Every structure is written in structure tokens, then in C-alpha cells.
Amino acid sequence: MSIENHTDKQEFNITVYTENHIGLLTRIAIIFSRRKINVECLNTSPSEIEGIHRFNIVITETAEVVRKIAGQIEKQVGVLKAYYNTNQDVIWQEMALYKVPTDVIAERAIVERLLRENGARAVVIRKDYTVFETTGQREETDNLIKVLEPYGLIEFVRSARIAIIKDSEGFHRKLQEFEESEPHDEVVENEFLSSREKVFTM
């Protein structure tokens, strides 16, 4: 993880691996609200391990504050590990949907050309409107808003960020390596949680 200055605020991606516990999201949200930190976007999804979920949380803070937050998150029941990385250390994307009048697209070839240039594809075409989808980074999806506004952009929505850590070998790989180094005859639920620092260091 490349962090040049611990006192400068910048955008961080906090990746959290969790079990599927009711109320866990609320407990994690409280950690941020108590510190009066705004969560810019939050995504939850299945991970590469069955039964384990992955949170991606984006905030703008100093490295020292983010380190403390990640430590607090890890103390929550149901949390296996929390990592934090700058945007330079992850591969990330966001998806956006744009609703525009169909007649404008049909009558103005320039609009169709602009959509193609920005990598947008039609997902729904109706007589009154067409919905386009594009995937990219924030600057790219924001740019298409500016492009479409003069032509009657009806509606816009953007998803939360999804991100993969560049230098990670994967959560599943780390767990497998630990199990191979310390074999156990019986399968015990959550038997490695007390050793999480040894298991889940990426």
C-alpha cells in the first residue's frame, strides 16, 4: 500500500471481509458516524469464498484515521479482516445509467456519436426514452453527464464502487495457506478467527 503522507487527506478504499451477520452493517456505520466521517459510497457483495461477504467502503481521510477505523471494524463480531488502500493500489470501477429522450437520439446523430465515444451502450429502448449504461471511473461517468445535459438528460444514477486490490493474492489463498500450515482433523466453525492477523495479512 503506497501512502506518501499520513497527514494529508485522500480517498481510501476500505475492503472488509465478513460473515453474514444481521446488524453488522449498522455496527460498521456507527463507527463512521461517531467520528463524523462521511461514507462516500458503500458496496456489499459475495466474495470468492462461499458464505463470506465483501464490503467496499470509500472515504476521504488521513492514513492514520483510516488505519484506526480499519482496526475498529476488525473488532466487530462477524468481521474477518479489514484492509485499506489508496486509489492507486486498487482497480476500481463504477456503473452508471442515463435516461435520454429517444427522439433526440434519432434526430441528432451527434448524440449517438458522443455516446459511442464514451463507451455507452443501450440497455432499454422505448418510444419515449432510451437508457444507456456505461462503466468507468468517476471522472468518466461524470463527463457523460455533461455531454448529455444539453440534449435533455432525463435521469441519472450511479452505482457504488467495486474494487480489487492490485497486490492481493486473494482472501481464499491466504486462508488455504494458513490451514495447510496448521492442519486440523476436525472442521471447527470459525476456529481461525482468533488468529486472524496470521491468516489474513495481504
Side-chain angles (χ1 to χ4, degrees), residues 14-21 24-26 28-29 39 41-47 52-58 159-163:
I14 301 176
T15 304
V16 187
Y17 285 92
T18 76
E19 296 174 308
N20 190 18
H21 282 200
L24 180 57
L25 178 57
T26 301
I28 291 175
V39 174
C41 65
L42 166 66
N43 178 71
T44 64
S45 74
S47 73
I52 302 300
H53 289 249
R54 178 175 178 149
F55 287 47
N56 191 71
I57 305 165
V58 179
S159 73
R161 178 179 302 182
I162 54 174

